[in-house]
Amino acid sequence: DIQMTQSPSTLSASVGDRVTITCRASQSISSWLAWYQHRPGKAPNLLIYKAFSLESGVPSRFSGSGSGTEFTLTISSLQPDDFATYYCQQYDSYPWTFGQGTKVEIK
Amino acid sequence: QLQLQESGPGLVKPSETLSLTCNVSGGSVSHSTNYWGWIRRPPGKGLEWIGNLYYSDSTYYNPSLKSRVTISVDTSKNYLSLSLSSVTVADTAIYYCAQSPVSAVAGAFQIWGQGTMVTVSS
């Protein structure tokens, strides 16, 4: 199985901060990576697919980059709605796997 | 617009079979432009992929669950189902159904249900 490791596990930040979350794959997954935002009690929300493609309707402050084994999700200016847990997911090969999550908290 | 809604028993006894359904509205569960998945999140843990079903009826399951899990569709009622046998407390989780379109997004889950909590306890 491909292991996905996110860092950090928790991140404290303020509104307006630039935030970067890293996701590393245990082997190359090309660009077959998605990022999700998950708020408590809500359905996960797709932000980025194919490593860098912004899902329709997602604010442009979210961006994704990387390929191979190292990927990043960047929020250019953190907004109040962005305090949530973020997950990466690889869909290069089965079984599909998720990172353990990064919780973005209010500083 | 496509919407998904999971439903299930809420509480299941150890060793029994968990059965969940995912009602699909705003689209057809048998349409070839979509495929379907189940994902779960145990308390205090991250997301775990359970399996996928494709319009060709082919399925892929997480090997950690493969011998216990079945994903299927009921085209007459337009819903997706999940069956997980011989459950233990480790199967306690919020269970989500999700859709991935056969498009550039394919592989990422674009639409998710709200999730349904299942507790395994005697």
Side-chain angles (χ1 to χ4, degrees):
Chain A
D1 298 5
I2 298 175
Q3 305 301 317
M4 306 300 292
T5 304
Q6 288 181 233
S7 59
S9 296
T10 306
L11 186 159
S12 296
S14 302
V15 172
D17 284 353
R18 180 181 181 89
V19 165
T20 299
I21 299 168
T22 298
C23 178
R24 289 188 174 87
S26 59
Q27 65 190 70
S28 178
I29 58 171
S30 184
S31 296
W32 302 116
L33 184 101
W35 289 97
Y36 301 89
Q37 177 191 65
H38 194 193
R39 297 195 193 95
K42 302 286 189 182
N45 183 39
L46 175 64
L47 302 173
I48 302 286
Y49 62 94
K50 219 180 287 183
F52 54 83
S53 296
L54 191 68
E55 168 66 350
S56 176
V58 173
S60 59
R61 63 180 180 273
F62 292 94
S63 63
S65 64
S67 66
T69 61
E70 187 149 338
F71 303 85
T72 59
L73 172 70
T74 300
I75 309 172
S76 61
S77 177
L78 201 64
Q79 298 302 300
D81 275 352
D82 301 340
F83 292 97
T85 299
Y86 294 83
Y87 294 94
C88 61
Q89 175 223 337
Q90 69 82 15
Y91 49 99
D92 175 77
S93 60
Y94 285 112
W96 292 358
T97 46
F98 290 86
Q100 81 278 16
T102 295
K103 186 174 183 180
V104 177
E105 298 180 327
I106 301 173
K107 194 172 187 178
Chain B
Q1 185 177 351
L2 191 70
Q3 291 186 314
L4 309 178
Q5 180 64 61
E6 306 88 346
S7 60
L11 181 66
V12 182
K13 289 183 168 54
S15 79
E16 293 187 343
T17 295
L18 163 66
S19 296
L20 300 176
T21 59
C22 172
N23 186 60
V24 178
S25 58
S28 171
V29 72
S30 61
H31 206 284
S32 61
T33 58
N34 296 311
Y35 58 92
W36 309 96
W38 285 95
I39 302 97
R40 69 183 184 180
R41 189 176 72 82
K45 296 187 178 181
L47 298 170
E48 179 183 27
W49 174 75
I50 298 171
N52 287 353
L53 180 143
Y54 293 81
Y55 61 86
S56 60
D57 281 342
S58 58
T59 51
Y60 294 83
Y61 298 129
N62 193 320
S64 66
L65 301 169
K66 187 171 184 178
S67 61
R68 301 194 290 130
V69 66
T70 303
I71 296 174
S72 60
V73 293
D74 185 322
T75 55
S76 64
K77 296 180 180 176
N78 209 41
Y79 68 63
L80 178 72
S81 67
L82 171 71
S83 176
L84 184 65
S85 63
S86 304
V87 297
T88 70
V89 293
D91 295 310
T92 295
I94 299 174
Y95 285 77
Y96 299 94
C97 60
Q99 167 261 9
S100 185
V102 180
S103 69
V105 183
F109 291 110
Q110 191 175 52
I111 307 291
W112 294 64
Q114 292 292 313
T116 187
M117 179 69 202
V118 176
T119 301
V120 179
S121 175
S122 54

